């Protein structure tokens, strides 16, 4: 399953996509995300560059924001911070 999700991400060819993972407590959601990250990290593009350098994967644990009036604002903040971190890393490597 993680390989399939990684393939969906790669086939998006840079277009923004969102993939939600939901399920009961203990069913393996976190493991699925970790396996997907590993599957992406193991890939290389045509130039030999690691595929993981091309993507920003954002983790948002909705349980942490349960009861907040505006969980959407919290999600947007997490996405913003992930994007900033990605740009800073790209600036250092590029």
């Amino acid at each position: 399953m993680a390989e399939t999700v990684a393939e969906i991400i790669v086939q998006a060819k840079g277009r923004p996509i969102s993939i939600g993972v939901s399920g009961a407590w203990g069913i393996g959601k976190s493991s699925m995300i970790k396996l997907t990250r590993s599957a992406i990290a193991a890939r290389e593009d045509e130039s030999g560059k690691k595929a993981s350098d091309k993507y920003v994967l954002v983790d948002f644990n909705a349980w942490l924001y349960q009861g907040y009036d505006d969980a959407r604002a919290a999600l947007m903040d997490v996405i913003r911070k992930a994007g900033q971190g990605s740009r800073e890393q790209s600036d250092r490597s590029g």
Side-chain angles (χ1 to χ4, degrees):
M1 176 92 108
E3 286 292 334
T4 301
V5 174
E7 184 63 23
I8 290 168
I9 292 168
V10 170
Q11 290 300 317
K13 298 186 191 255
R15 293 183 306 270
I17 61 171
S18 297
I19 299 172
V21 181
S22 65
W25 185 268
I27 202 146
K29 299 176 297 292
S30 295
S31 295
M32 174 66 182
I33 292 168
K34 289 176 187 171
L35 289 168
T36 300
R37 282 184 188 275
S38 294
I40 291 171
R43 292 172 179 250
E44 293 182 353
D45 66 11
E46 302 81 37
S47 68
K49 185 176 181 179
K50 285 188 176 185
S52 58
D53 294 341
K54 297 171 61 175
Y55 304 102
V56 177
L57 302 177
V58 178
D59 293 322
F60 180 75
N61 186 342
W63 289 103
L64 297 176
Y65 300 95
Q66 192 173 18
Y68 279 65
D69 290 335
D70 198 355
R72 185 180 313 169
L75 172 60
M76 296 307 292
D77 191 48
V78 169
I79 292 170
R80 180 185 57 79
K81 288 177 182 174
Q84 285 177 338
S86 174
R87 269 194 306 276
E88 289 169 5
Q89 185 177 23
S90 177
D91 289 346
R92 279 185 255 134
S93 65

